[in-house]
Amino acid sequence: MKNKAATTEDSLPGVSIIVPTLNSESTIDDCLRSILELDYPKQLLEVIVIDGGSTDATAELAKSHPVKFVYSQLNPPAAYNLVLKDIENPIIGLVDSDAKVEKGWLRKLVKHLDDPKAAGASGTVETWNKDKLVPRAIGYELSYRYRRLPGTVERVATMNLLLKKKVTVEIGGFDEALPTQYDTDIGARLAQAGYRIAFDAEAICYHFHRPTLRKFFKQQYKYGQNTWKLYLKHPKLARGDKITDWWMNTQPILYAVAALLLLISVATSFHLIPSLIFLALVLVTTLHYVFSAAKISIIFHDPSAMYLIVIYFTRAVAWTLGGATSLIQTALTGGEEKKT
């Protein structure tokens, strides 16, 4: 039994886990502790923290752990590419600083990378701070989406992901022109190159969702700024999948149309046709939100999931405004972007 165990340990690959962070003093300690306490040989595990210029106690807390600390004010994908050059281990792991992983997370995922066609592996996401209403509702919807995932996926969040370094470098690393949505982009490029990402529902990551509606709006606004760029680069993704379906992708367009119709209605003293179309869009969207929230409330046996109606509306408005301001800014600057 001892020889068999030793052989198994010897066959495990070295893994470098990258943790990007910025002002995460409330979560960074638990995050790093969960990684360092993984059921994985310590000599095969490297932890790299990339700090984007925290002004709170994040850096001090991170440095109190046996990790490699890197300071960089580059955007996340650029920072990943910078660190990637110096990593010698064949596997890189990406774990957000507002996430923590269960002890068996790494062992469960790394076994999927024995498949030559598997360029990456990811686990499911549960809610870390489910004692509060906003993150609990966000978590219910995210858990519902992850429950639908098959054994292989094309897009998955970098809060909880392993990638083969060689393949990642082969496809050009992370797209530095996408400060957000770079995780979806790299998944799409891996698929185009003939690879897949394995999904294992038994490997659990706990994510600290945005605790307030205001912080959730700011997060989703940033996503919206880059979503149109992502779909311009990968048009097929706009059709949706199990993670982000067609309805989620359609809502910013519907909201923009509804806003235009409302302006026309006001300007024409509420002319019947634009007013009716506007009301129809509002009714259809509201009914869909209510039905979706009710379904998730039943699935998770919690009436508080009906708060998802507010979450859906907030996300759609944030995506719409984020996309609109980004489009306008891009048009005014001629498409020039800063990689910060």
Side-chain angles (χ1 to χ4, degrees):
M1 290 294 291
K2 186 176 181 180
N3 290 336
K4 184 176 179 181
T7 302
T8 301
E9 297 296 296
D10 291 340
S11 67
L12 292 172
V15 180
S16 294
I17 296 181
I18 305 171
V19 181
T21 187
L22 178 64
N23 294 329
S24 307
E25 64 179 4
S26 63
T27 57
I28 189 66
D29 201 46
D30 286 336
C31 168
L32 294 178
R33 188 179 294 111
S34 74
I35 295 171
L36 293 168
E37 293 177 355
L38 282 166
D39 178 20
Y40 206 79
K42 304 307 177 190
Q43 70 275 15
L44 297 178
L45 185 63
E46 176 185 36
V47 183
I48 305 169
V49 175
I50 305 177
D51 184 75
S54 296
T55 56
D56 60 6
T58 298
E60 289 74 14
L61 289 169
K63 290 176 181 178
S64 69
H65 295 277
V67 301
K68 180 179 179 181
F69 187 86
V70 177
Y71 173 78
S72 171
Q73 287 191 301
L74 296 171
N75 68 29
Y80 286 149
N81 288 337
L82 178 68
V83 171
L84 193 60
K85 297 174 184 177
D86 297 324
I87 289 177
E88 296 182 359
N89 286 322
I91 306 299
I92 61 171
L94 304 174
V95 176
D96 284 355
S97 59
D98 57 357
K100 58 183 178 180
V101 291
E102 48 103 4
K103 284 184 179 291
W105 175 82
L106 185 52
R107 279 185 182 268
K108 291 172 183 176
L109 291 185
V110 81
K111 66 183 181 183
H112 294 285
L113 300 183
D114 290 337
D115 183 346
K117 285 298 180 181
S122 181
T124 195
V125 179
E126 298 292 342
T127 304
W128 179 345
N129 52 335
K130 59 184 177 181
D131 57 317
K132 298 185 182 299
L133 177 60
V134 172
R136 184 164 69 249
I138 294 170
Y140 282 145
E141 195 232 5
L142 194 60
S143 293
Y144 172 70
R145 287 156 63 189
Y146 268 78
R147 283 186 177 193
R148 301 179 298 179
L149 293 183
T152 60
V153 294
E154 184 169 320
R155 74 166 93 186
V156 72
T158 51
M159 74 175 78
N160 157 40
L161 178 65
L162 297 186
L163 291 170
K164 290 178 179 175
K165 180 192 171 183
K166 181 180 178 181
V167 177
T168 304
V169 172
E170 282 177 2
I171 66 168
F174 295 88
D175 188 344
E176 299 177 14
L178 293 172
T180 60
Q181 306 290 14
Y182 53 85
D183 44 6
T184 301
D185 168 73
I186 201 167
R189 286 188 286 123
L190 286 171
Q192 290 169 359
Y195 295 99
R196 65 184 181 82
I197 296 174
F199 173 73
D200 190 334
E202 299 300 317
I204 302 173
C205 167
Y206 297 91
H207 186 251
F208 193 93
H209 301 312
R210 295 300 185 271
T212 66
L213 210 56
R214 181 173 177 272
K215 290 183 177 180
F216 177 69
F217 178 89
K218 290 177 65 177
Q219 176 197 46
Q220 298 302 310
Y221 180 86
K222 290 180 180 179
Y223 291 166
Q225 287 182 307
N226 295 289
T227 298
W228 69 270
K229 300 174 189 176
L230 173 71
Y231 292 153
L232 192 63
K233 184 177 181 180
H234 305 287
K236 188 182 74 171
L237 292 177
R239 298 202 300 262
D241 56 20
K242 297 292 186 181
I243 284 282
T244 305
D245 60 25
W246 67 272
W247 172 246
M248 289 177 66
N249 290 333
T250 302
Q251 287 178 65
I253 298 173
L254 292 179
Y255 272 57
V257 170
L260 181 60
L261 287 169
L262 181 59
L263 289 174
I264 294 173
S265 296
V266 172
T268 59
S269 299
F270 296 99
H271 188 278
L272 184 61
I273 294 177
S275 298
L276 285 177
I277 298 174
F278 169 76
L279 291 173
L281 288 176
V282 171
L283 179 62
V284 169
T285 303
T286 302
L287 287 175
H288 192 282
Y289 288 173
V290 171
F291 175 78
S292 177
K295 179 170 65 175
I296 292 175
S297 293
I298 293 171
I299 290 172
F300 291 97
H301 309 289
D302 187 352
S304 70
M306 291 301 296
Y307 190 74
L308 278 169
I309 296 171
V310 178
I311 297 296
Y312 292 148
F313 176 75
T314 302
R315 180 172 62 197
V317 171
W319 280 18
T320 304
L321 292 177
T325 55
S326 178
L327 279 166
I328 293 170
Q329 183 180 18
T330 300
L332 293 175
T333 58
E336 295 183 4
E337 298 287 339
K338 291 182 180 181
K339 294 178 182 179
T340 57

